[in-house]
Amino acid sequence: EADIYQTPRYLVIGTGKKITLECSQTMGHDKMYWYQQDPGMELHLIHYSYGVNSTEKGDLSSESTVSRIRTEHFPLTLESARPSHTSQYLCASSPTLSTDTQYFGPGTRLTVL
Amino acid sequence: GENVEQHPSTLSVQEGDSAVIKCTYSDSASNYFPWYKQELGKRPQLIIDIRSNVGEKKDQRIAVTLNKTAKHFSLHITETQPEDSAVYFCAASKIGGFKTIFGAGTRLFVKA
């Protein structure tokens, strides 16, 4: 079934650890996004990509990096996790033409102790 | 910069009443205006959208209106039900562009 997947769904780690949040989509979408969202609150764009080997920074990008080596895969890396990174991270994808509808993954809930 | 303002931030209605959420966008080049519903603990999902060449669109109990001149668009929910309780996000973008700008969200409570 065409969908967008995120792993892990929940993660508890200590301060200073390096972590990678995985996102994969099987819909063949060119555009992919990472958002940070506290439960039920505003969506903050962290990074986005409009195709392989293209990545752009969003509003909250300074403490994380992304890569887009394959169309279906868009991992997010935090080099040194801090308690302020505790939040939910949502990955999304969107087709390039005809519509800009965003399809969201189930999210990763991150807790940094 | 590009901005979407959304009001109100919280809305409480009685079951059966109507609910209206309003958004204003700043980028006049925007031509696609989706609305997403996020239930507690779940991912945002598209419920309705409208393009700039249309003034109104309806899907059963929900409708969206667009005023391009004023750069306003609104979500209307009629005959609200408890399952309509959720956070609703408006958004604006340019089809074929790269970024979608989201509003800050409206938390809707429907009281039974």
Side-chain angles (χ1 to χ4, degrees):
Chain A
E1 180 181 340
D3 204 347
I4 181 163
Y5 304 92
Q6 290 186 243
T7 57
R9 294 293 313 280
Y10 302 91
L11 181 61
V12 181
I13 59 168
T15 297
K17 298 291 187 183
K18 178 179 179 179
I19 60 167
T20 296
L21 308 184
E22 301 288 346
C23 175
S24 294
Q25 50 97 2
T26 57
M27 296 179 281
H29 290 168
D30 286 324
K31 292 186 287 187
M32 296 190 74
Y33 309 82
W34 276 104
Y35 295 93
Q36 181 179 341
Q37 184 193 35
D38 291 328
M41 303 298 285
E42 196 167 350
L43 291 157
H44 296 282
L45 181 64
I46 310 172
H47 292 277
Y48 59 103
S49 165
Y50 39 89
V52 171
N53 293 326
S54 87
T55 60
E56 298 289 339
K57 295 182 178 182
D59 306 323
L60 295 179
S61 61
S62 61
E63 300 172 351
S64 61
T65 59
V66 291
S67 62
R68 189 87 183 278
I69 299 171
R70 292 181 286 139
T71 298
E72 62 271 20
H73 193 215
F74 190 42
L76 173 74
T77 298
L78 291 176
E79 294 294 333
S80 180
R82 296 206 299 267
S84 61
H85 292 137
T86 295
S87 188
Q88 176 166 251
Y89 292 82
L90 288 167
C91 181
S93 70
S94 177
T96 304
L97 300 175
S98 76
T99 179
D100 252 12
T101 301
Q102 298 215 354
Y103 298 85
F104 287 86
T108 294
R109 192 173 295 278
L110 173 66
T111 301
V112 183
L113 303 175
Chain B
E2 300 155 339
N3 185 47
V4 173
E5 292 189 0
Q6 183 171 347
H7 300 280
S9 57
T10 305
L11 179 60
S12 183
V13 301
Q14 204 67 37
E15 182 179 1
D17 288 350
S18 295
V20 180
I21 303 170
K22 298 183 179 182
C23 290
T24 303
Y25 61 98
S26 61
D27 186 355
S28 56
S30 297
N31 58 10
Y32 178 67
F33 307 93
W35 286 87
Y36 294 86
K37 175 183 180 182
Q38 186 177 27
E39 297 178 14
L40 186 64
K42 297 190 176 181
R43 68 185 87 180
Q45 290 192 301
L46 179 77
I47 55 170
I48 195 168
D49 57 11
I50 192 168
R51 301 190 184 204
S52 58
N53 59 348
V54 176
E56 184 174 358
K57 184 176 178 181
K58 192 173 181 181
D59 182 4
Q60 298 183 347
R61 294 187 299 107
I62 61 173
V64 57
T65 59
L66 172 65
N67 182 331
K68 283 171 51 182
T69 303
K71 291 192 277 189
H72 289 169
F73 58 113
S74 300
L75 177 71
H76 304 253
I77 306 174
T78 58
E79 300 172 23
T80 54
Q81 302 167 1
E83 53 264 39
D84 294 329
S85 296
V87 178
Y88 292 81
F89 294 96
C90 64
S93 70
K94 288 169 275 194
I95 293 176
F98 303 126
K99 275 204 310 182
T100 292
I101 308 299
F102 284 89
T106 295
R107 191 176 298 272
L108 174 65
F109 297 95
V110 180
K111 296 175 286 186

